[in-house]
Amino acid sequence: MHSLPTSQGLAEAQHKRGGRLRMLMVLAACAAPVLASYFTFYVVQPSGRAYADLIVPTVDLPATLHLQDLQGKPVAADSLKGQWLLTLVQEGGCDEACERRFFLQRQLREMLGKERDKVDKLWLLPEDSPLPRPELLKALSQGVAVTILRAPRAELQAWLKPAEGQTLQDHVFLVDPMGRWMLRAPPQPDPSKLKGDLNRLLKANAGWDKEGR
């Protein structure tokens, strides 16, 4: 025969259930703006179809991505979170086409106007690639500098994917503040059309995305 639960035991059980319910409500409240914004962009799409390729499902930034700065100091992958990232994967021996992509990266950020402080510029440099020329590094440090990080080529290829028939170098990739790759620009994109996608994303996330990292 089992003993009946005491009033104290019932009270403790109710208290535990209430605590779990409050925790779930807090988590739901935190996640709701993010889920709503992505639903708006991916499903409702109030301004029509996206110009760039939407990555569905999004691809998380690998926590084990081995990043280093140009001095060889390890950089935690999670340190990239907190800002939108206009991301390029380019070789160190940057040619004319590569330089045009960096100009596009800078142009896109500036075109966002007052929203540009939510966006960082990132260059992912395969670690087996030569170091960039000093004059290029100087140019990329002007104004809001491009963050340059080296990573194993295989790890970059495992995370970011080019469109069919293209290479990683051909694209601008957009990573959201949670570290999720979610947009891929076509090669030689129209800046004004790509800006439209960026504006829609930033507007959709205005409720939870804050300026500054």
Side-chain angles (χ1 to χ4, degrees), residues 28-213:
C30 293
V34 179
L35 295 176
S37 66
Y38 279 96
F39 178 82
T40 298
F41 189 79
Y42 284 109
V43 182
V44 179
Q45 295 189 357
S47 301
R49 295 183 60 83
Y51 168 68
D53 296 327
L54 293 170
I55 308 304
V56 183
T58 56
V59 183
D60 290 340
L61 171 71
T64 57
L65 185 62
H66 294 89
L67 297 170
Q68 294 182 341
D69 63 20
L70 294 184
Q71 288 71 48
K73 180 181 178 181
V75 175
D78 279 352
S79 68
L80 295 178
K81 295 181 180 180
Q83 286 281 84
W84 294 93
L85 298 174
L86 283 170
T87 304
L88 291 173
V89 179
Q90 299 295 316
E91 301 295 330
C94 189
D95 58 14
E96 185 177 347
C98 166
E99 291 181 3
R100 286 197 298 269
R101 294 183 192 109
F102 283 116
F103 177 79
L104 171 67
Q105 184 187 50
R106 178 185 178 189
Q107 182 185 23
L108 285 171
R109 184 182 183 277
E110 292 305 311
M111 288 171 68
L112 293 173
K114 65 180 181 180
E115 299 291 335
R116 63 180 178 268
D117 289 337
K118 297 178 181 179
V119 180
D120 278 354
K121 298 174 292 182
L122 176 64
W123 177 4
L124 293 175
L125 176 67
E127 67 177 9
D128 59 353
S129 182
L131 289 173
R133 305 185 310 275
E135 58 269 25
L136 178 61
L137 293 177
K138 182 178 179 180
L140 295 179
S141 68
Q142 302 301 312
V144 176
V146 176
T147 299
I148 307 174
L149 296 174
R150 309 194 77 172
R153 187 181 297 273
E155 293 184 11
L156 294 177
Q157 293 171 337
W159 177 37
L160 303 172
K161 303 293 183 183
E164 185 176 355
Q166 306 297 330
T167 68
L168 289 180
Q169 288 74 30
D170 294 326
H171 300 288
V172 177
F173 301 96
L174 183 68
V175 179
D176 77 7
M178 295 185 180
R180 298 179 294 203
W181 168 41
M182 49 84 62
L183 200 74
R184 178 181 59 211
Q188 302 178 356
D190 182 322
S192 62
K193 291 181 179 179
L194 186 53
K195 171 182 173 285
D197 283 351
L198 299 180
N199 275 334
R200 286 169 57 201
L201 280 168
L202 293 172
K203 182 177 180 180
N205 290 280
W208 62 274
D209 180 25
K210 304 301 181 184
E211 295 179 6
R213 176 173 290 161

